[in-house]
Amino acid sequence: MVLGRVQFAFCGLLVFQTIFHCDGQLVAHKSYDPMSPLPFPTCRADNIDCLRRSLRTFFFLMDGGYFGMQPIDPTIINSVALSLPEQQTSFLLRRVNVTGARWTKLVGRRFDLENGKNGVIFSSDLHLSGQISMEVAGRKEPHNAYITMDIQGAESNITYAGMIHRGIDNEDYIVIGPERIAVRNMRIPSYFLQPNSEDSYIIDDALQQKQSILDHFSNEIMAALMHSIVDNFRMFSAKVPIKHYYKYYEK
Ligand SMILES: *[C@@H]1O[C@H](CO)[C@@H](O)[C@H](O)[C@H]1NC(C)=O
Ligand SMILES: *[C@@H]1O[C@H](CO)[C@@H](O)[C@H](O)[C@H]1NC(C)=O
């Protein structure tokens, strides 16, 4: 059965709100049985406020490492490279510490896209810090600095195919196909370089001249984070029957 033909709401996640209200006892709750029948509120697929609350709860579970999910805030990204052949220059970001992903907001939800795919649009504000180096052709040593960057309101458009699979326990689960992610920056990320050195000055000059470098870094990092979020949802949906987190019914 194709998900596109089924109407969904992301609301059943509210089931887990109980966990949300007892931070103090989180560890004790980790052994919590996901299969226990819990009452969950119903909300329509077009009730975006309800979906937003559900998303908060999902992110909360993800950051708590429930159902084997990998927390994403903070995330360390080992390296992001960019080469600019025309400028004979290349940039490398290393050991980037990304925070803020847990406050990702739901902007829109679409069903019945082309080929029966589903879509979700997120908006994120992220804070990054890491090492930046810039290599220039013909120069032995790269220029090095430490960079912090703020990305505001970057939108990611995630599309994927979802299928419903009946498990041997006779429960329905969602199986998510490969996702496609497009990222759009609403504004050029702001940044700050340290220390106050000649290297920083040279890198700053290059970034000022070509702001698409920042856009590129921001997009790569956003896309990596979004893939992690989808992977986490795959993990979650393979373990938790749909009825616990989606109100769904056939048309
Ligand atoms: C990443 O940044 C956060 C917030 O500044 C900090 O708490 C955390 O320790 C950092 N993680 C690493 C591995 O540097
Ligand atoms: C998101 O991507 C899908 C598939 O490429 C496209 O159909 C849809 O219009 C996009 N949505 C937005 C808001 O850009």
Side-chain angles (χ1 to χ4, degrees), residues 24-245:
Q25 292 160 32
L26 274 181
V27 180
H29 277 81
K30 278 199 176 170
S31 59
Y32 149 90
D33 174 13
M35 308 311 165
S36 57
L38 292 166
F40 58 94
T42 57
C43 63
R44 292 164 49 108
D46 58 2
N47 185 344
I48 198 84
D49 286 333
C50 189
L51 301 180
R52 284 186 178 127
R53 287 196 299 274
S54 301
L55 184 76
R56 289 267 59 80
T57 310
F58 174 71
F59 272 72
F60 172 80
L61 291 171
M62 179 159 55
D63 267 346
Y66 290 85
F67 309 108
M69 293 192 282
Q70 295 298 313
I72 53 148
D73 195 352
T75 289
I76 305 292
I77 294 179
N78 273 328
S79 70
V80 187
L82 172 66
S83 89
L84 302 169
E86 280 174 32
Q87 276 83 6
Q88 301 204 316
T89 304
S90 63
F91 289 88
L92 183 63
L93 285 188
R94 263 184 312 214
R95 302 285 305 154
V96 191
N97 183 346
V98 189
T99 54
R102 81 176 61 175
W103 301 112
T104 290
K105 294 182 280 289
L106 179 65
V107 175
R109 194 86 177 88
R110 299 256 313 267
F111 301 92
D112 292 324
L113 289 173
E114 258 176 85
N115 308 318
K117 292 198 172 179
N118 298 321
V120 56
I121 312 258
F122 286 143
S123 166
S124 314
D125 297 336
L126 301 177
H127 179 77
L128 275 59
S129 58
Q131 296 156 15
I132 183 167
S133 59
M134 172 183 160
E135 272 188 51
V136 183
R139 192 177 185 279
K140 262 199 195 129
E141 293 293 314
H143 300 288
N144 293 307
Y146 188 80
I147 188 169
T148 56
M149 214 163 119
D150 279 301
I151 300 174
Q152 287 201 331
E155 279 194 5
S156 20
N157 178 356
I158 308 175
T159 47
Y160 60 91
M163 305 279 287
I164 294 174
H165 173 76
R166 174 71 46 96
I168 46 169
D169 54 2
N170 218 27
E171 295 285 1
D172 287 338
Y173 293 85
I174 296 181
V175 178
I176 296 185
E179 70 276 17
R180 189 175 159 275
I181 295 172
V183 178
R184 191 157 57 115
N185 271 320
M186 290 305 165
R187 63 185 77 156
I188 305 272
S190 57
Y191 68 94
F192 183 70
L193 293 166
Q194 282 173 302
N196 199 348
S197 63
E198 198 184 332
D199 270 7
S200 293
Y201 179 82
I202 291 166
I203 295 173
D204 187 42
D205 198 42
L207 295 180
Q208 289 293 334
Q209 282 185 31
K210 205 165 168 62
Q211 301 206 314
S212 59
I213 298 168
L214 293 168
D215 244 2
H216 173 87
F217 284 141
S218 160
N219 286 359
E220 291 284 308
I221 285 163
M222 285 283 294
L225 267 177
M226 293 303 138
H227 281 296
S228 305
I229 291 172
V230 177
D231 278 344
N232 274 322
F233 187 70
R234 261 191 203 101
M235 179 93 64
F236 176 86
S237 67
K239 292 184 179 168
V240 183
I242 308 173
K243 67 174 187 193
H244 288 298
Y245 62 100

